[in-house]
Amino acid sequence: MTTEILVALIGLAGSAIGSLVGILINTKLSNYRIEQLEKKVDKHNSLIERTYEIEKDIEVIKTDIKVANHRINDLEKEDFI
């Protein structure tokens, strides 16, 4: 009877250790994947921020071009007067 109990306890310990090791490995892998996704999201957010800055700069340049064209038109009109 003691032999059966000893074998059962050894089996229980082996199962518990195997389960804990599996959980720890799975948690470690999940954390690694989350870190990689966070890095990708940071890169994406950085790209979006730079895109917004570029769009602002383009609007300023468009406004400058409109003003320059208006001045050129005014100068051309003065030459004809």
Side-chain angles (χ1 to χ4, degrees), residues 36-51:
Q36 297 307 311
L37 287 172
E38 286 175 346
K39 287 179 183 177
K40 286 182 179 181
V41 167
D42 287 341
K43 285 181 181 179
H44 179 264
N45 288 343
S46 174
L47 176 68
I48 296 299
E49 289 172 4
R50 290 192 327 244
T51 302

Side-chain angles (χ1 to χ4, degrees), residues 29-67:
L29 180 60
S30 294
N31 286 338
Y32 173 75
R33 288 180 177 173
I34 289 171
E35 272 183 31
Q36 297 307 311
L37 287 172
E38 286 175 346
K39 287 179 183 177
K40 286 182 179 181
V41 167
D42 287 341
K43 285 181 181 179
H44 179 264
N45 288 343
S46 174
L47 176 68
I48 296 299
E49 289 172 4
R50 290 192 327 244
T51 302
Y52 285 141
E53 289 299 318
I54 290 171
E55 288 174 350
K56 287 180 192 175
D57 292 344
I58 289 173
E59 288 303 315
V60 169
I61 291 170
K62 284 181 179 179
T63 304
D64 289 346
I65 290 173
K66 285 180 184 177
V67 169

